[in-house]
Amino acid sequence: LLDPQSVLTLSNETIDEWQKQYDASMRVLGDGEKEADMQRIESRITELIAKAQAPAFNATDHPDDAGYSLLDYFSELLYKAKLAPFRDELLELLNRWKDEDAPLATP
């Protein structure tokens, strides 16, 4: 959260579009009756990432995790985008907590 790259600022419309694609991809992948067209799924995800001008997926950025896929990366970007609107507020709370001005939990 301290690193600005921990969030990705996207419009609400883009986040909604990404969420729909993620949900659709997970539905297809979870359907044991049908074989998922991974090329089509990955093509659509790559297109959405490029359209949003987000950093492109690069498997070499994750050398310690051979199983890290484009779908994993897309999920991570979606998480960062959902977190972005709350970053400033969370950092303020974190700083107040560090300064012992705010309790970690309120009963």
Side-chain angles (χ1 to χ4, degrees), residues 89-102:
E89 181 180 354
L90 291 170
L91 285 174
E92 181 181 328
L93 287 171
L94 177 62
N95 288 330
R96 285 181 49 213
W97 177 75
K98 282 181 179 178
D99 294 339
E100 298 181 11
D101 187 35

Side-chain angles (χ1 to χ4, degrees), residues 23-84:
D23 292 345
S25 298
M26 296 309 289
R27 258 191 318 278
V28 168
L29 291 170
D31 187 349
E33 301 289 317
K34 300 178 184 174
E35 186 173 332
D37 184 351
M38 285 306 296
Q39 186 174 8
R40 183 173 174 213
I41 291 170
E42 289 180 352
S43 175
R44 179 69 180 133
I45 289 172
T46 300
E47 179 184 306
L48 289 172
I49 291 171
K51 180 179 167 187
Q53 298 180 342
F57 176 67
N58 184 349
T60 60
D61 289 342
H62 307 278
D64 296 334
D65 191 355
Y68 193 79
S69 69
L70 176 60
L71 188 57
D72 295 326
Y73 179 67
F74 187 61
S75 175
E76 181 181 325
L77 290 179
L78 185 57
Y79 172 80
K80 288 179 175 186
K82 289 179 178 181
L83 182 63

